[in-house]
Amino acid sequence: MFFIDRSKKILMVNEQDSLPGRIDEMQFNESHFVNNSSMKGPFPEGMSEIFLGMGCFWGAERLFWNIEGVYVTSVGYAGGFTPNPLYEEVCSGLTGHTEVVHVVFDPKTISLQEILKIFWEGHDPTQGMRQGNDMGTQYRSAIYYSDETLLDQIKKSEVNYNEALKKEGYPEITTEIIPLKDYFYVADYHQQNLAKNPIVYCGIGGCVVKLPDYC
């Protein structure tokens, strides 16, 4: 059990103060509940991937799993310090992780720009360490990339969406954009949860502002 000080949940923990975690990886059914593809791979040749934090990962994953060109999705934790964290540990704010959806896609069918359009328009990237009523570092907006060649497109989309949001009176984007260090899968219960339990609450929602097209 972890005592959660809500006043500190919005403060990023220092690595030296983070929980120690564990060596053993989370065991879960690797078959995707919606399309039966393997969530851990190996993935088909030519696939690309991106890791997106949009608040509650249940709703974020649902935005992507039926999109044409998306091979498979999964949910997990990234951006923190604690190896193989438990859900309760992440909720404590003492791991540094945020909830993310891992999107594996075929760039010949769907472009990164189209993936990012769903990302930006699907949540509010200006809220800092929260998303709607969900508050804490685990709900921060984030993009983690494992392929350095994607960074230029990611930054261009950020600039374009930031300009679009400012025209509508929103503050600056707070999205964390950094290379992926680690990605930790979560238990079966969380994977494709809104397909298994469609009436479960999830507070994800966007700003009703479109990402402008760019070259």
Side-chain angles (χ1 to χ4, degrees):
M1 296 291 292
F2 298 92
F3 174 75
I4 300 175
D5 184 343
R6 295 189 180 277
S7 68
K8 294 183 179 179
K9 279 194 69 178
I10 60 172
L11 301 177
M12 186 66 175
V13 68
N14 294 320
E15 183 171 6
Q16 61 267 28
D17 296 325
S18 64
L19 297 174
R22 58 202 46 80
I23 296 174
D24 295 334
E25 296 182 359
M26 177 66 65
Q27 299 300 307
F28 67 102
N29 182 355
E30 298 177 16
S31 180
H32 195 278
F33 182 79
V34 176
N35 64 22
N36 295 317
S37 297
S38 172
M39 289 183 276
K40 293 191 75 173
F43 306 122
E45 185 176 353
M47 292 293 123
S48 189
E49 65 180 357
I50 197 78
F51 300 79
L52 305 171
M54 306 171 63
C56 171
F57 51 19
W58 294 346
E61 187 181 20
R62 183 171 59 180
L63 292 176
F64 292 98
W65 67 47
N66 282 325
I67 300 296
E68 184 178 1
V70 172
Y71 175 75
V72 76
T73 60
S74 67
V75 290
Y77 304 120
F81 309 111
T82 301
N84 300 299
L86 302 177
Y87 179 68
E88 294 79 9
E89 292 174 332
V90 174
C91 288
S92 75
L94 297 176
T95 73
H97 292 293
T98 189
E99 298 186 9
V100 298
V101 54
H102 177 203
V103 182
V104 180
F105 63 99
D106 183 353
K108 294 180 180 177
T109 304
I110 184 170
S111 67
L112 176 62
Q113 181 177 352
E114 292 171 296
I115 294 289
L116 292 172
K117 180 178 176 66
I118 298 169
F119 167 77
W120 292 120
E121 295 178 4
H123 76 302
D124 183 346
T126 71
Q127 293 192 353
M129 300 300 187
R130 66 180 299 167
Q131 196 63 208
N133 292 327
D134 295 327
M135 183 176 294
T137 54
Q138 78 192 82
Y139 299 115
R140 68 186 184 273
S141 176
I143 302 175
Y144 304 117
Y145 55 92
S146 57
D147 180 353
E148 191 74 26
T149 65
L150 302 182
L151 181 58
D152 184 58
Q153 292 183 68
I154 293 170
K155 296 301 290 183
K156 284 182 179 178
S157 73
E158 179 194 28
V159 169
N160 276 267
Y161 201 54
N162 201 40
E163 290 177 354
L165 287 172
K166 287 200 294 186
K167 289 179 181 178
E168 298 299 325
Y170 284 89
E172 292 285 326
I173 283 175
T174 60
T175 303
E176 179 177 68
I177 302 175
I178 58 175
L180 180 76
K181 183 178 70 172
D182 294 300
Y183 174 65
F184 300 104
Y185 292 90
V186 298
D188 289 328
Y189 173 75
H190 296 288
Q191 303 292 349
Q192 299 84 61
N193 187 42
L194 294 188
K196 302 169 185 174
N197 303 288
I199 63 171
V200 170
Y201 164 79
C202 185
I204 191 170
C207 299
V208 198
V209 176
K210 297 298 184 182
L211 173 67
D213 292 331
Y214 62 92
C215 300

